[in-house]
């Protein structure tokens, strides 16, 4: 039995099976701690909560006669502070914000703030370096619906020297005033947030989703916002009903998100599940996401941040996740002014999303906006309408429908021109495709550099079940139904070991593709 211990906190552990199966195993595995069975699961990534700190344990993983053992030691803990000892009631009616903030603020380094069973009605609280949160089973952190109770984070504050800028709030890639999030961490490090409880943004109880594009006091909050943070772990929790983006790491590094369940209603606006922005070394494992917008959206800001505070997003690992119901399963962009590179997505299920792999950019993102070195491997897509789209004419922002953004004619390359580099898809199985399989449209003046598709096996819905749709959000682009490959303005495209069943065409459509290599491409 091969497995890896991927995280150990003061009171929990996360284990990942080393197998070839995607997201979950065909067989149930049993997990023993010191000979006592603690968990049975068919998931490839599991977490065990409720251990003791600073203690040596033996972990045994068994599946029938196949077993494996490893020893590990939990982290040291200075103190365990129960929020109810500080006056929090957890009755779902009393507001517990001040009591919870008091526990966090007074907790010594390497201490843990503990939430026992209860519903803790609260406004945003601010986390502290070297202080952990344990949200136990049947404990819920519930956001206050009234936006008047939410502090405002100014978008950009000028330093006393009148030169240095300090960024606090952010909204869709720009440094704009926004409300603080239910859990907010700014310039904090070494924080583990774990448990089997719930973090509930409680957006349906307020007016967060009413006139959602209207700024009222400030822009809508996330549920969890990590700004300028290092070494943060979230593990085991359910996070739901977010006012906008659910988990938003921002200008942060060395972050781990394991075994989360992120849920927002299908009609909830702008409620992306997971949005790392200008972050480095981020790992998402064993997580299920079902939301009202993109499940995962990897970003790096708009033009102002790209010029004055540029930090590229890189080193993103997404593995053994299930991404359901959303506009995109894994999206890059469209706010990518600082660029995105080195993204690895593997062993994931994309199910019921509008698009699977989705890249969005446009003229105006700037010359630092280089999306490159993206690899998607061992992915199954079921009932994903458009499994892959690359759109360099994305019509976002006030000028999104202008001739500058939407013109399909050649424009001179300048400091506002974005780039898309190399993207690879390997070992992909698609069932129930609808409008198109791969639709990629580069700029005429800056073609997509390289698309590699290897070992792709795709089946379309029957014609009577398909709905003609526009695959990419740009002006004057036609609806498609059952189209296999639409490739335009690309330097090099390689299609190898590709099988397409049930499409409305019998060959790729390539326009302005300098080099198209096809090897064992079969249409049935």
């Amino acid at each position: 039995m091969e497995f890896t211990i991927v995280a150990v906190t003061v009171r929990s552990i996360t284990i990942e099976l080393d197998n070839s199966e995607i997201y979950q195993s065909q067989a149930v595995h049993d997990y023993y701690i010191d000979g006592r069975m603690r968990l049975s699961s068919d998931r490839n990534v599991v977490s065990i909560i409720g251990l003791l700190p600073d203690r040596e344990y033996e972990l045994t993983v068994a599946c029938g006669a196949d077993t494996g053992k490893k020893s590990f030691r939990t982290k040291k803990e200075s103190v365990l502070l129960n929020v109810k000892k500080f006056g929090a009631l957890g009755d779902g009616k009393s507001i517990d914000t001040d009591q919870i903030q008091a526990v966090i603020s007074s907790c010594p380094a390497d201490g843990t703030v503990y939430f026992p069973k209860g519903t803790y009605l609260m406004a945003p609280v601010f986390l502290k370096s070297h202080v952990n949160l344990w949200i136990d089973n049947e404990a819920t952190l519930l956001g206050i619906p009234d936006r008047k109770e939410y502090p405002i984070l100014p978008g950009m504050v000028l330093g006393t020297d009148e030169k240095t800028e300090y960024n606090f709030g952010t909204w869709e890639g720009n440094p704009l005033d926004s409300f603080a999030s239910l859990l907010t961490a700014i310039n904090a490090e070494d924080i583990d947030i774990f448990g089997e409880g719930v973090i509930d943004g409680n957006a349906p109880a307020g007016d967060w989703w009413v006139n959602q594009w209207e700024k009222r006091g400030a822009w809508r909050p996330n549920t969890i916002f990590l700004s300028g943070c290092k070494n943060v772990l979230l593990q085991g929790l359910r996070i739901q009903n977010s006012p906008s983006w659910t988990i938003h790491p921002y200008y942060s590094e060395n972050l781990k998100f394991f075994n989360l369940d992120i849920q927002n209603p299908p009609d909830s606006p702008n409620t992306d599940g997971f949005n790392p922005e200008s972050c480095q070394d981020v790992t998402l494992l064993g997580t299920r996401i079902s939301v009202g917008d993109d499940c995962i959206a990897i970003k790096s800001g708009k033009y102002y941040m790209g010029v004055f505070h540029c930090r590229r997003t890189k080193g993103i690992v997404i593995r053994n996740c299930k991404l359901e119901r959303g506009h995109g399963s894994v999206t890059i962009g469209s706010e990518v002014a600082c660029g995105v590179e080195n993204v690895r997505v593997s062993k994931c299920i994309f199910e019921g999303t509008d698009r699977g792999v989705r890249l969005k950019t446009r003229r105006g993102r700037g010359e630092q906006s280089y999306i490159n070195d993206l690899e998607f491997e061992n992915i199954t897509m079921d009932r994903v309408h458009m499994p892959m789209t690359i759109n360099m004419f994305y019509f976002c922002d006030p000028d999104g429908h202008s001739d500058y953004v939407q013109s399909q004619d050649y424009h001179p390359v300048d400091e506002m021109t974005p780039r898309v580099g190399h993207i690879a898809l390997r070992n992909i199985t698609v069932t129930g495709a609808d409008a198109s399989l791969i639709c990629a449209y580069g700029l005429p003046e800056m073609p997509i550099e390289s698309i590699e598709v290897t070992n792709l096996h795709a089946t379309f819905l029957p014609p009577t079940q398909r709905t003609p749709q526009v695959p990419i959000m740009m002006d004057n682009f036609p609806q498609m139904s059952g189209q296999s490959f639409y490739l335009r303005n690309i330097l090099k495209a390689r299609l190898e070991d590709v099988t397409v069943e049930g499409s409305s065409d019998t060959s790729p459509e390539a326009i302005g593709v300098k080099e198209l290599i096809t090897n064992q491409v079969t249409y049935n």
Side-chain angles (χ1 to χ4, degrees):
M1 175 68 62
E2 297 296 327
F3 63 88
T4 302
I5 297 174
V6 292
V8 179
T9 75
V10 291
R11 294 176 179 267
S12 62
I13 181 176
T14 296
I15 307 110
E16 182 177 30
L17 299 177
D18 298 332
N19 59 21
S20 60
E21 296 177 88
I22 295 175
Y23 180 67
Q24 62 191 55
S25 303
Q26 295 183 3
V28 171
H29 290 66
D30 297 324
Y31 296 81
Y32 298 82
I33 299 289
D34 288 348
R36 176 190 166 199
M37 193 171 77
R38 299 292 298 266
L39 179 69
S40 292
S41 177
D42 65 352
R43 296 269 292 269
N44 283 346
V45 181
V46 300
S47 295
I48 298 172
I49 314 291
L51 305 178
L52 295 174
D54 195 21
R55 177 169 168 177
E56 190 81 19
Y57 285 104
E58 183 179 71
L59 168 68
T60 303
V61 182
C63 182
D66 189 10
T67 62
K69 294 185 179 182
K70 288 186 179 180
S71 296
F72 68 94
R73 190 173 195 90
T74 49
K75 293 181 180 179
K76 293 182 179 180
E77 180 183 81
S78 61
V79 66
L80 179 68
L81 299 181
N82 187 326
V83 295
K84 290 189 174 181
K85 295 288 187 180
F86 283 70
L89 296 180
D91 60 6
K93 300 177 182 179
S94 306
I95 298 177
D96 291 324
T97 312
D98 292 344
Q99 292 81 358
I100 293 169
Q101 189 66 70
V103 187
I104 295 170
S105 298
S106 57
C107 187
D110 301 324
T112 300
V113 174
Y114 173 59
F115 294 84
K117 178 180 177 180
T119 299
Y120 301 87
L121 187 62
M122 55 186 283
V125 295
F126 288 75
L127 307 184
K128 178 181 170 183
S129 294
H130 317 297
V131 171
N132 306 312
L133 270 61
W134 176 12
I135 305 168
D136 209 350
N137 187 29
E138 298 188 72
T140 298
L141 309 188
L142 185 65
I144 292 175
D146 187 356
R147 66 177 63 216
K148 296 185 183 68
E149 299 295 328
Y150 285 66
I152 292 175
L153 301 177
M156 196 69 78
V157 175
L158 190 63
T160 305
D161 61 6
E162 298 187 353
K163 296 179 181 178
T164 307
E165 290 186 320
Y166 295 92
N167 177 209
F168 295 95
T170 177
W171 176 255
E172 295 199 332
N174 281 320
L176 301 174
D177 294 359
S178 62
F179 289 108
S181 301
L182 201 60
L183 296 183
T184 299
I186 297 178
N187 298 327
E189 60 185 32
D190 299 328
I191 300 172
D192 294 337
I193 306 170
F194 59 91
E196 298 171 289
V198 176
I199 303 173
D200 191 333
N202 202 21
D207 63 353
W208 298 115
W209 297 340
V210 178
N211 299 323
Q212 66 270 20
W213 303 119
E214 178 186 344
K215 180 182 177 182
R216 283 172 281 171
W219 290 107
R220 286 178 285 151
N222 313 129
T223 296
I224 298 175
F225 181 51
L226 308 173
S227 177
C229 294
K230 297 180 181 179
N231 309 325
V232 178
L233 166 72
L234 267 73
Q235 178 194 64
L237 300 161
R238 180 183 176 94
I239 307 161
Q240 62 190 27
N241 295 322
S242 183
S244 63
W245 297 352
T246 307
I247 301 177
H248 184 195
Y250 184 68
Y251 284 82
S252 296
E253 62 185 66
N254 192 21
L255 310 175
K256 297 179 172 62
F257 303 87
F258 298 160
N259 281 118
L260 303 177
D261 187 7
I262 301 171
Q263 300 286 318
N264 295 315
D267 59 348
S268 56
N270 195 227
T271 57
D272 298 13
F274 180 66
N275 294 53
E277 180 175 3
S278 295
C279 291
Q280 298 178 2
D281 299 323
V282 178
T283 303
L284 180 75
L285 300 182
T287 290
R288 177 173 170 251
I289 303 177
S290 181
V291 293
D293 207 320
D294 291 323
C295 293
I296 297 170
I298 301 169
K299 301 176 180 290
S300 64
K302 290 183 180 176
Y303 188 71
Y304 184 89
M305 300 304 286
V307 172
F308 297 103
H309 300 274
C310 191
R311 185 174 185 185
R312 181 159 295 178
T313 292
K314 62 181 180 180
I316 309 294
V317 174
I318 301 165
R319 191 169 62 243
N320 277 315
C321 293
K322 187 173 186 180
L323 309 175
E324 308 170 305
R325 184 177 46 77
H327 293 176
S329 299
V330 177
T331 295
I332 317 290
S334 71
E335 304 93 319
V336 283
C338 301
V340 173
E341 68 180 14
N342 186 15
V343 176
R344 302 290 181 264
V345 182
S346 63
K347 298 176 68 175
C348 290
I349 297 173
F350 300 172
E351 186 175 289
T353 55
D354 294 338
R355 296 163 182 83
V357 178
R358 185 185 190 194
L359 275 67
K360 305 180 294 183
T361 189
R362 44 148 290 182
R363 295 186 184 103
R365 286 295 181 248
E367 60 189 356
Q368 297 295 326
S369 181
Y370 186 33
I371 302 172
N372 186 41
D373 189 19
L374 315 180
E375 294 186 0
F376 298 82
E377 293 188 287
N378 302 317
I379 309 288
T380 63
M381 303 192 199
D382 180 31
R383 291 170 287 114
V384 174
H385 298 290
M386 295 149 278
M388 180 178 180
T389 62
I390 304 176
N391 178 12
M392 297 189 74
F393 295 87
Y394 186 61
F395 54 44
C396 60
D397 303 332
D399 66 339
H401 296 284
S402 66
D403 181 71
Y404 171 69
V405 176
Q406 293 299 320
S407 172
Q408 299 174 34
D409 296 330
Y410 182 94
H411 279 223
V413 174
D414 58 21
E415 70 277 4
M416 306 299 285
T417 307
R419 295 180 293 159
V420 174
H422 177 67
I423 303 103
L425 286 83
R426 306 185 186 103
N427 306 325
I428 311 293
T429 301
V430 174
T431 55
D434 193 347
S436 64
L437 184 57
I438 294 181
C439 181
Y441 201 149
L443 293 172
E445 69 270 19
M446 188 60 70
I448 298 164
E449 292 177 13
S450 172
I451 298 175
E452 171 197 341
V453 181
T454 307
N455 191 23
L456 167 66
H457 300 277
T459 302
F460 276 86
L461 291 170
T464 56
Q465 297 180 23
R466 295 201 294 254
T467 303
Q469 298 175 68
V470 178
I472 52 178
M473 296 175 67
M474 64 178 288
D475 292 344
N476 304 313
F477 194 84
Q479 290 184 336
M480 291 181 174
S481 178
Q483 175 125 11
S484 59
F485 299 93
Y486 181 87
L487 308 174
R488 187 159 184 170
N489 298 334
I490 301 169
L491 295 181
K492 181 177 181 180
R494 174 187 290 273
L495 308 178
E496 186 168 357
D497 188 13
V498 172
T499 302
V500 180
E501 297 186 17
S503 65
S504 58
D505 55 14
T506 56
S507 63
E509 182 175 358
I511 303 170
V513 178
K514 186 172 183 180
E515 182 179 9
L516 176 62
I517 301 170
T518 59
N519 184 20
Q520 295 183 329
V521 177
T522 304
Y523 284 76
N524 297 322

